[in-house]
Amino acid sequence: MNPTLWTGLRSTFLVLVAVLWLLPVWLMVVNAITPSAEYSGAPAWWPETFGMITNLTEAWQTGQMGPGFLNSLLYSTICAAVAVVLAALAGFGTVVLKVRHKTLWFWLIYCGTLVPLQIFLAPMFTAAARSNLYDTRLGLMIVYVAISIPFAYFLMRNFITTLPREVFEASSIDGAGPLMTFLRICLPMCRPAMFAAFIFQFTWAWNDLLFGMTLTASPEVRPIMASLINLNGNYSSVGPPTVLAGALIASVPTVAIFFVFQRFFVSSLTLSK
């Protein structure tokens, strides 16, 4: 095929995919701008009047999104960071250290991503209720850390396998123990992969609704997505523009953190040496 023709087809395909991807975002923003009193029920494709500030304020107050926003920020940041560090430690152990049955350990940890999360709901609810962790921040954070580890471990383990083994051998010859080697050698070299794993797990924890609704009941503990669902519930008195404005509020942190750590994310995908 002609290289020029192939380039044109590829560019056209990418433009179409981008348009299809951005179209729902455009509709969400436009309809969030529309004042609730002027909303006709049909999706607006272009804003005629500006009611964004009113919709944002109403969504924040009616949906009690303030506590949920702070809770999700706490859950996503701390749980993702703890999970990534534990995953890096597990990856270091199964790649660098001399442990038996490395493949078995890999599958035991990674299989946590292969099981549907809905299977864990009943036993987790029972365990949380019996241990007095139901409707507590600590209980939800334990769940988020545990579920975030397998995929973060997959990323960290694969990245550590690309690192030169000579560096770890030299550290051992110089007298450094496993912990010192992990802290002084492995962690600095794994920084791009750790930031990429952090982005993935932060986004997952922030967008979680399943465990946020199942393991919590009070607005003081529930994450942002549970607050957003309450705003859009059957007994809610707000209109769709207000709900969409609430969705915009809920999407800001994930977009911001991606742009902040974009450089590390790209470098980890390229597995730079």
Side-chain angles (χ1 to χ4, degrees), residues 46-194:
W46 191 260
E48 297 182 358
T49 54
F50 187 82
M52 174 67 80
I53 303 300
T54 303
N55 292 338
L56 290 174
T57 303
E58 186 178 8
W60 184 267
Q61 295 176 350
T62 305
Q64 298 180 337
M65 300 185 68
F69 191 94
L70 294 178
N71 288 333
S72 286
L73 193 61
L74 174 70
Y75 300 149
S76 302
T77 303
I78 295 181
C79 296
V82 172
V84 169
V85 172
L86 293 177
L89 189 60
F92 175 79
T94 54
V95 174
V96 178
L97 299 184
K98 296 180 180 180
V99 297
R100 300 176 61 183
H101 311 297
K102 292 186 176 182
T103 303
L104 176 62
W105 283 112
F106 166 77
W107 282 109
L108 284 177
I109 300 174
Y110 179 65
C111 68
T113 63
L114 306 179
V115 181
L117 296 180
Q118 290 81 354
I119 294 178
F120 301 127
L121 286 180
M124 282 187 176
F125 178 84
T126 303
R130 291 180 177 178
S131 59
N132 295 323
L133 290 175
Y134 176 76
D135 198 28
T136 63
R137 292 186 178 91
L138 178 60
L140 197 57
M141 291 173 70
I142 292 174
V143 171
Y144 283 158
V145 170
I147 293 180
S148 298
I149 287 176
F151 183 73
Y153 166 74
F154 175 77
L155 294 179
M156 297 306 305
R157 183 254 186 189
N158 289 349
F159 188 88
I160 294 175
T161 56
T162 66
L163 301 178
R165 297 298 299 271
E166 294 80 5
V167 177
F168 302 110
E169 295 173 356
S171 175
S172 178
I173 293 174
D174 290 340
L179 181 59
M180 187 62 64
T181 301
F182 174 73
L183 295 176
R184 296 291 183 87
I185 305 298
C186 184
L187 282 186
M189 298 177 67
C190 292
R191 188 178 302 173
M194 294 181 69

Side-chain angles (χ1 to χ4, degrees), residues 17-33 44-47 52 244-245 247-248 251-252 254-255 259:
V17 171
V19 170
L20 291 175
W21 185 266
L22 293 175
L23 189 60
V25 179
W26 170 257
L27 284 173
M28 181 177 66
V29 173
V30 169
N31 287 273
I33 293 175
W45 288 88
W46 191 260
M52 174 67 80
L244 293 175
L248 287 178
S251 63
V252 168
T254 53
V255 175
F259 282 107

